[in-house]
Structures are given as structure tokens and as C-alpha cells.
Amino acid sequence: QVQLVETGGGLVQPGGSLTLSCVASGSIFSVGDMGWYRQAPGEQRVMVATISKGYRINYAESVKGRFTISRDNAKNTISVQMDSLKPEDTAVYYCYAYVVPRGKDWMDYWGNGTLVTVSA
């Protein structure tokens, strides 16, 4: 089994910073693209930032210049440093990974999500 576990959510004031981390663990042969998505109340889940195994990065326009994604391939972890947070960044943040479990084909995996609330 493969699991993604996110940590680092919480309450932060506007203009503040927060770092989310995610680790992929279990019976893993290889990990491809990883990333962060978010879902605000009443809205669809959208991409925030993704990073490939070769460190190619994509950001949503709404977070460019404020969020920085990073990755440690040896530990199957990703993090996102979120600066200059705005109330509209409030959402549940989900970790995503495209994984080859041992003995299986590529599959999508999601974490359970961590809530980020930006409020005064």
C-alpha cells in the first residue's frame, strides 16, 4: 500500500507564512510527478504547484511569486513554502503523487488533506 501524509496546516494571519510537507511511504517502486492541490469551500479542487522527478515546476498563476515548491527524491517528500498568504488561499490542501507501487502500474495517489486558514 502507498500512503501520502500531509503536515503543516493551520491558522495564519494575512501576510503570514506557512510550510506544508508531504511524504509518500509504503511499497513504492518509483515516484513521478508530485504536487499540491487545494479545494476551497464550495469550489472544485485546483492545482497549486507541481514538481516532476527532474524538478520541473509549475505554479498556478494565483500563487506565482508567493509559493515555492521543493522536493527530496531520496525521501519521497515534497514541501511548499507559502508566503504573503491571503484570505483567498484558505482551503484544504491535498498532496498528490503519481506512483509506481511495487509490482503494479502507475497510479494516482492523494493525501487526506490539511486545512489552511488565512484570517485575522
Side-chain angles (χ1 to χ4, degrees), residues 50-83:
T50 63
I51 184 167
S52 72
K53 194 168 187 175
Y55 305 103
R56 183 178 69 250
I57 292 172
N58 287 307
Y59 292 106
E61 286 295 327
S62 60
V63 307
K64 279 184 179 179
R66 301 189 298 121
F67 289 15
T68 304
I69 190 170
S70 60
R71 175 170 180 157
D72 185 334
N73 284 334
K75 297 180 179 180
N76 290 332
T77 61
I78 58 169
S79 296
V80 60
Q81 171 70 35
M82 304 185 294
D83 298 318

Side-chain angles (χ1 to χ4, degrees), residues 27-106:
S27 184
I28 295 172
F29 177 75
S30 182
V31 181
D33 288 356
M34 299 184 74
W36 293 95
Y37 288 68
R38 68 187 182 188
Q39 186 168 17
E43 298 185 10
Q44 292 187 332
R45 190 176 300 185
V46 296
M47 187 273 289
V48 175
T50 63
I51 184 167
S52 72
K53 194 168 187 175
Y55 305 103
R56 183 178 69 250
I57 292 172
N58 287 307
Y59 292 106
E61 286 295 327
S62 60
V63 307
K64 279 184 179 179
R66 301 189 298 121
F67 289 15
T68 304
I69 190 170
S70 60
R71 175 170 180 157
D72 185 334
N73 284 334
K75 297 180 179 180
N76 290 332
T77 61
I78 58 169
S79 296
V80 60
Q81 171 70 35
M82 304 185 294
D83 298 318
S84 303
L85 283 161
K86 305 175 182 179
E88 50 264 43
D89 293 317
T90 295
V92 177
Y93 284 71
Y94 295 91
C95 178
Y96 161 83
Y98 192 46
V99 176
V100 180
R102 293 188 186 279
K104 297 185 179 181
D105 204 348
W106 289 97

